[in-house]
Amino acid sequence: MFDLGGKAALVTGASGGIGGAIARALHKQGATVTLSGTRAEALEQLKAALGERAHVVTAKMDDPADIDRLAKDAEAAMGKLDILVNNAGITRDNISMRMKDEEWEKVLQVNLTGTFRLTRAAMRGMMKRRFGRVINITSIVGVTGNPGQANYAAAKAGLIGMSKSLAQELASRGITVNCLAPGFIATPMTDVLTDDQKKGILGRVPADRLGTPDEIAAGVVYLASDEAGYVTGQTLHINGGMAMI
Amino acid sequence: MSDIAERVKKIVVEHLGVEAAQVKEDAKFIDDLGADSLDTVELVMAFEEEFGIEIPDDAAEKIQTVGDAIGFIKSNAKS
């Protein structure tokens, strides 16, 4: 089950903790992967670790021309694009009363607008081939909210609404569009939290531990598979029971 | 150049699964041939491929009938 042999996947934010795990998992199932992000060195290291069937295309998700180029270069490198994992994301946390316009706009630009642009650029080939898997990595906070993250939560909630719309537009062409919403996952992003902060978070997680990037990647593999062809417009929550929606 | 009209009609027949007789030049893709908005995008993509041209979005929006498509392609086709 979940064999991805012969499939071509593009993962954005692949230099991050979750993105890297997603790329490794898709590759392990047999997919050819294109790793994207802004940190060329980290991407090249991951590519070297994966060996064959791996490509690197750097891109900035707040640059429209860069995004179009990313879609083209990824298709050119792999010959096609079957699976798009929109994982790239940034945070600029601040309580709303102090949040600057730039902090709001930057997060919306990268996390939501960039994802829309890349997905739009990828759709054409997927429509022609009558197959596509778009997996947008959103977040638990897009559904529950989180103080200090009005911008991030808005962008992540936006991804869910966007995905449902795209799912309805594209379902008849064999293209599924789903979201995956991680809860608190052990990554460099959460490593910076203090022990007290972590304790506070774990108090709200019935599983009583942080999730691992591999547990997120497993969900992506499922949504990317042929077996998940009848699943579209959904949000898969992987959060140790932190929110049950 | 009448060959262009034939090729356009063939694509429309294949893509929309309609009878060749229905594909008249004044037939509207959406109102007369049962296309949905996504079908029209795909038709434009198919025309682009068949004739090796690029049809910009603002031009594509104006292509509403079979005749519109033939007209645009006649004035822009390389092959």
Side-chain angles (χ1 to χ4, degrees):
Chain A
M1 283 213 347
F2 313 142
D3 176 19
L4 300 178
K7 295 288 200 305
L10 167 59
V11 181
T12 68
S15 54
I18 292 179
I22 291 170
R24 276 192 292 272
L26 294 173
H27 187 267
K28 195 175 167 198
Q29 295 306 111
T32 299
V33 295
T34 294
L35 314 167
S36 185
T38 52
R39 286 174 285 165
E41 202 179 319
L43 295 171
E44 289 294 344
Q45 275 174 11
L46 178 55
K47 179 189 161 178
L50 293 177
E52 288 177 7
R53 292 185 282 113
H55 308 270
V56 168
V57 180
T58 57
K60 292 198 185 94
M61 293 305 287
D62 56 356
D63 179 343
D66 235 25
I67 292 171
D68 284 342
R69 182 186 51 78
L70 168 58
K72 283 201 182 82
D73 288 359
E75 277 196 350
M78 300 188 289
K80 59 174 183 168
L81 179 56
D82 302 306
I83 300 162
L84 171 60
V85 184
N86 287 305
N87 166 71
I90 57 165
T91 53
R92 293 285 185 276
D93 297 355
N94 213 339
I95 54 167
S96 297
M97 290 198 54
R98 297 200 189 287
M99 186 171 287
K100 296 178 184 63
D101 283 352
E102 305 90 87
E103 291 170 333
W104 172 270
E105 275 157 19
K106 183 85 175 170
V107 167
L108 269 289
Q109 191 75 15
V110 170
N111 296 9
L112 182 58
T113 309
T115 297
F116 173 73
R117 285 189 175 126
L118 183 58
T119 307
R120 184 179 58 189
M123 267 177 221
R124 196 185 171 90
M126 290 179 178
M127 269 175 58
K128 271 191 191 164
R129 288 188 305 277
R130 291 285 190 270
F131 181 88
R133 295 281 183 269
V134 178
I135 299 144
N136 295 320
I137 306 302
T138 171
S139 166
I140 185 173
V141 308
V143 177
T144 63
N146 198 28
Q149 292 197 306
N151 50 1
Y152 186 75
K156 293 301 192 182
L159 284 178
I160 294 175
M162 183 194 84
S163 301
K164 290 177 178 176
S165 302
L166 296 181
Q168 292 180 40
E169 288 182 18
L170 299 169
S172 64
R173 269 52 176 187
I175 302 169
T176 67
V177 185
N178 291 289
C179 285
L180 191 154
F184 277 92
I185 307 301
T187 67
M189 224 193 239
T190 48
D191 280 351
V192 297
L193 300 172
T194 64
D195 283 352
D196 274 355
Q197 283 174 317
K198 280 186 190 162
K199 225 171 140 188
I201 291 165
L202 288 181
R204 291 149 54 202
V205 181
D208 199 28
R209 64 175 177 85
L210 297 180
T212 67
D214 287 343
E215 288 170 321
I216 301 305
V220 173
V221 165
Y222 167 65
L223 291 174
S225 69
D226 285 342
E227 286 83 350
Y230 203 51
V231 179
T232 195
Q234 304 301 314
T235 300
L236 175 56
H237 290 269
I238 301 184
N239 61 28
M242 188 176 177
M244 301 183 186
I245 305 132
Chain B
M1 293 296 268
S2 68
D3 157 63
I4 286 181
E6 288 312 309
R7 283 155 75 192
V8 166
K9 286 178 184 173
K10 186 162 173 275
I11 287 171
V12 174
V13 166
E14 279 171 7
H15 193 88
L16 299 179
V18 290
E19 296 296 323
Q22 288 174 265
V23 188
K24 300 183 182 114
E25 299 222 353
D26 61 355
K28 289 188 173 164
F29 293 118
I30 291 177
D31 296 337
D32 300 327
L33 300 176
D36 63 20
S37 51
L38 208 52
D39 288 321
T40 62
V41 173
E42 288 188 318
L43 278 173
V44 165
M45 280 162 48
F47 296 147
E48 287 180 331
E49 204 157 291
E50 171 76 16
F51 297 100
I53 55 172
E54 239 183 82
I55 306 178
D57 285 346
D58 51 348
E61 279 165 21
K62 291 186 194 121
I63 299 178
Q64 293 181 357
T65 67
V66 177
D68 292 341
I70 295 169
F72 181 90
I73 293 161
K74 274 187 179 166
S75 43
N76 293 276
K78 293 166 206 153
S79 56

